[in-house]
Amino acid sequence: MSKLRILVPVKRVIDYAVKPRVNKAQTAIETQGVKHSMNPFDELSIEEAVRLRERKKNPVEDILAFSAGPAKSQDILRTAMAMGADRGLHIVEEKAELEPLAVAKMLKKVVEDEDRNLVILGKQSIDDDANQTGQMLAGLLNWSQATQASMVEIEGDECTVTREVDGGVETLKAKLPMIITTDLRLNEPRYASLPNIMKAKKKPLVKKTLKDYGMDAEKRLKTVRVVEPPPRQGGGKVEDVEGMISKLKELGAI
């Protein structure tokens, strides 16, 4: 039976409860002075990694939380460690917003350097909604992948993943090593308790740079313009069914 050596990437994003606003130059979302937190899908990933350890079906040797971004990303790494990750790895990058392919290449190097055999990551981050990194990483590593997992079971070297599809569920089986991306129905992330928050401050957190991995932050995509969605139009009232049909015909709906 293989011991699980799990990598869980986490990302610092604008808090899900905050309504994003476009900056004055219409080049990006305004981030200055805005509350940030861990990407919600990544919280599910940390929780699932810890639950795999608690189930004790497969021994978990190590859970490594990883993040790439500004110095403030250390906060979410400490949160991940307070939730149960054993240690953290932070690639500090203050200037560039890293694209999915760059992150996938970075994760490939971390997987190889840290000898990981399971990567659990959120299906997407709520800032760019790209839903690409997990699939790209699986392609770069030539590993099996299961996306949008709503249930994960591992016994020995075999992993069973259930995922929701239109009108039902789909069950996939594959051998480790493997990439799994998480969906909202997978679990309910725990709150980090105060004692665990204090313990997390003593857990190892290694800082590196892109140069340490022989990489740069060159962008392949250019954002031309970002604008607010148009205001939603209010609805109208009709007197009866005939009026509704007439209105629908007027709008070209029927």
Side-chain angles (χ1 to χ4, degrees):
M1 180 182 290
S2 298
K3 288 187 176 180
L4 297 177
R5 299 177 299 280
I6 307 174
L7 172 65
V8 185
V10 296
K11 186 177 182 181
R12 180 177 179 266
V13 299
I14 293 176
D15 189 86
Y16 72 93
V18 174
K19 183 178 180 180
R21 298 291 183 186
V22 177
N23 63 17
K24 291 182 179 180
Q26 293 189 329
T27 56
I29 298 298
E30 183 60 63
T31 58
Q32 295 297 319
V34 178
K35 181 183 178 182
H36 285 65
S37 59
M38 188 190 301
N39 180 48
F41 290 101
D42 299 338
E43 291 182 348
L44 301 168
S45 303
I46 286 287
E47 177 65 27
E48 192 62 24
V50 175
R51 289 191 186 193
L52 286 172
R53 168 179 280 159
E54 293 172 345
R55 289 173 197 149
K56 298 181 180 179
K57 288 186 178 181
N58 273 55
V60 175
E61 182 178 317
D62 179 53
I63 300 174
L64 171 62
F66 166 90
S67 191
K72 291 181 179 180
S73 296
Q74 293 179 42
D75 294 344
I76 64 167
L77 284 170
R78 291 295 180 191
T79 299
M81 289 187 279
M83 290 174 69
D86 299 302
R87 55 196 178 96
L89 172 59
H90 182 202
I91 295 183
V92 182
E93 175 54 50
E94 295 287 348
K95 296 181 180 180
E97 179 68 28
L98 298 169
E99 295 175 350
L101 182 58
V103 176
K105 289 180 176 179
M106 201 182 312
L107 289 173
K108 178 178 182 288
K109 292 180 180 292
V110 174
V111 165
E112 294 169 344
D113 290 352
E114 297 286 343
D115 190 26
R116 303 289 97 179
N117 60 4
L118 178 62
V119 182
I120 307 177
L121 65 163
K123 69 171 185 177
Q124 65 194 73
S125 58
I126 62 172
D127 51 1
D128 61 15
D129 282 327
N131 195 351
Q132 295 175 338
T133 305
Q135 293 89 323
M136 289 177 171
L137 177 60
L140 291 171
L141 289 169
N142 196 26
W143 283 11
S144 301
Q145 65 169 318
T147 60
Q148 298 167 258
S150 59
M151 182 181 296
V152 176
E153 295 180 356
I154 300 178
E155 290 193 21
D157 288 333
E158 188 171 82
C159 182
T160 303
V161 175
T162 301
R163 59 198 299 268
E164 295 184 0
V165 295
D166 290 342
V169 295
E170 180 180 66
T171 302
L172 306 174
K173 285 188 177 183
K175 299 282 188 180
L176 295 173
M178 191 169 180
I179 309 291
I180 298 173
T181 70
T182 59
D183 210 344
L184 290 175
R185 296 188 189 274
L186 179 60
N187 58 48
E188 183 72 29
R190 68 194 65 193
Y191 288 101
S193 66
L194 182 58
N196 286 337
I197 291 173
M198 300 306 293
K199 289 177 183 177
K201 293 181 179 180
K202 298 181 180 180
K203 290 183 178 180
L205 174 57
V206 176
K207 299 178 187 177
K208 293 189 177 184
T209 65
L210 289 171
K211 290 183 179 179
D212 293 328
Y213 290 96
M215 297 182 62
D216 57 43
E218 179 186 358
K219 279 187 167 289
R220 291 170 172 78
L221 301 173
K222 179 182 179 181
T223 301
V224 178
R225 190 179 176 211
V226 181
V227 296
E228 297 274 2
R232 188 171 180 177
Q233 298 294 326
K237 291 184 179 181
V238 294
E239 296 295 331
D240 50 31
V241 175
E242 289 183 0
M244 180 181 70
I245 294 173
S246 297
K247 189 66 176 176
L248 290 172
K249 286 181 178 179
E250 181 183 322
L251 294 171
I254 58 173

